[in-house]
Amino acid sequence: YRPGGADAPLGITLGLRYSWDKKNFQVTQNGAVAYTAAQLATRTSSKSFNAPTGHLTIDYKAAEDINLYARIARGYRSGGYNARQDTTNLPLTPFEDETIWSYEVGAKTEFNNRVRLNVAAFYNVYNDQLVTIPVQAAVGSSFGNITVNAGKTEYYGAEAEGSWIVTDHFSIDGSLGYVKKKPVDFPAGDSNNDIRNVASIQELGYSPDWSANIAGTFKYPVGSADMTARVGYNYTSSFWMFGNPLTAPFSKETKGDARGLLDAQLRFDNLGLGKNTSITFWGKNL
């Protein structure tokens, strides 16, 4: 809705949704021997989930090529069952759904049809966030894993992305992102499997603080064909895989190291060998 008309600078967008999910799950065996009918009773389960979601966005056209916005959104991911849960001595246990409130402000800009820059800052609050944690399957064996609801966690950070058409044949694009993770309420087991709030020592997994990429693209006609050459570099800082040192004593040793990957490709279109014929040579992690 644009209160001042279709071309007015102020706009309001509202979206609403309601979701219903039902999960049915049964574990028929754990190992080579199938469960008996009596055992199946505690290894069969059904659970329903539902939640309202939606968003409210306010945008403002500060100029022809500058758009400012603020957005509030609520997201939902249904609960369910972990197919890898060890059910030898435990009944099949579902995990609950997770929800998130997301707040974001930003700007989308373009200058002279050659330079584009988008920036955003965000703050996200998860409730009952789904996390996978390692558990010892049996004495002397490897570990299994279970999915649990972790209580409340907060994420905040900023992102920027841009592109620059340097010449008619050469352009540069890239992005930079930072995210800070803050567990607030994180119930988890310690080394004795006693549940406690480990938020003060918990690291959130598979979420690097920094991520960035930059690439250059060169386009030029070669005979009757169109050539595109592109080289790109992607960087992510180090990240945790298992963040609870009480249940994962080797959490530091199993961290993912910071890494930078260089990729490249050379593409030829309109080769004249048939309609829409093209060929691409590419290398990953050069």
Side-chain angles (χ1 to χ4, degrees):
Y1 172 60
R2 309 201 79 85
D7 297 324
L10 179 65
I12 302 171
T13 304
L14 175 66
L16 295 174
R17 174 176 176 156
Y18 205 97
S19 300
W20 293 268
D21 295 285
K22 185 176 182 180
K23 305 286 181 70
N24 302 288
F25 203 85
Q26 183 181 69
V27 179
T28 58
Q29 64 189 69
N30 186 22
V33 180
Y35 288 138
T36 65
Q39 290 174 318
L40 284 176
T42 60
R43 292 156 177 88
T44 303
S45 182
S46 176
K47 189 170 178 61
S48 296
F49 310 91
N50 62 86
T53 56
H55 76 98
L56 173 65
T57 303
I58 298 176
D59 69 272
Y60 183 78
K61 296 179 181 179
E64 182 65 26
D65 296 325
I66 300 177
N67 188 39
L68 310 177
Y69 70 92
R71 183 174 188 264
I72 301 174
R74 185 179 193 270
Y76 149 82
R77 183 163 62 168
S78 74
Y81 299 89
N82 183 0
R84 296 184 64 188
Q85 178 192 334
D86 184 356
T87 56
T88 304
N89 300 309
L90 296 173
L92 184 61
T93 305
F95 50 84
E96 300 297 325
D97 53 88
E98 75 172 12
T99 58
I100 180 176
W101 279 100
S102 174
Y103 308 87
E104 181 178 340
V105 295
K108 297 181 182 295
T109 67
E110 188 172 291
F111 306 97
N112 299 323
N113 293 321
R114 284 189 173 271
V115 177
R116 178 176 295 172
L117 177 63
N118 301 329
V119 295
F122 60 88
Y123 171 64
N124 298 333
V125 181
Y126 279 94
N127 286 296
D128 295 324
Q129 184 178 14
L130 300 178
V131 295
T132 300
I133 61 174
V135 293
Q136 185 171 311
V139 176
S141 71
S142 182
F143 65 85
N145 65 63
I146 59 174
T147 303
V148 300
N149 296 93
K152 181 179 180 180
T153 56
E154 299 177 351
Y155 292 75
Y156 55 89
E159 297 175 340
E161 63 177 4
S163 61
W164 176 25
I165 302 176
V166 183
T167 70
D168 291 341
H169 301 291
F170 180 65
S171 64
I172 300 173
D173 60 87
S175 67
L176 175 66
Y178 172 78
V179 58
K180 176 69 174 179
K181 289 80 63 178
K182 181 184 177 183
V184 177
D185 179 21
F186 205 101
D190 58 18
S191 56
N192 296 319
N193 289 326
D194 295 325
I195 301 299
R196 52 181 283 197
N197 184 7
V198 298
S200 62
I201 59 173
Q202 177 72 34
E203 300 288 349
L204 298 179
Y206 300 97
S207 180
D209 291 347
W210 291 95
S211 59
N213 67 75
I214 188 169
T217 303
F218 180 73
K219 296 183 177 181
Y220 204 81
V222 178
S224 61
D226 297 319
M227 181 193 73
T228 301
R230 181 175 173 85
V231 178
Y233 179 79
N234 296 274
Y235 170 82
T236 58
S237 61
S238 62
F239 58 90
W240 298 83
M241 297 184 187
F242 303 109
N244 181 358
L246 300 181
T247 57
F250 298 103
S251 56
K252 289 185 178 180
E253 287 77 5
T254 57
K255 281 185 65 176
D257 294 332
R259 65 197 64 187
L261 301 180
L262 183 68
D263 305 330
Q265 71 173 27
L266 183 64
R267 179 183 177 93
F268 295 91
D269 294 292
N270 303 317
L271 292 175
L273 303 177
K275 186 178 181 181
N276 299 325
T277 303
S278 63
I279 186 170
T280 302
F281 302 94
W282 60 272
K284 189 172 180 63
N285 189 15
L286 298 176

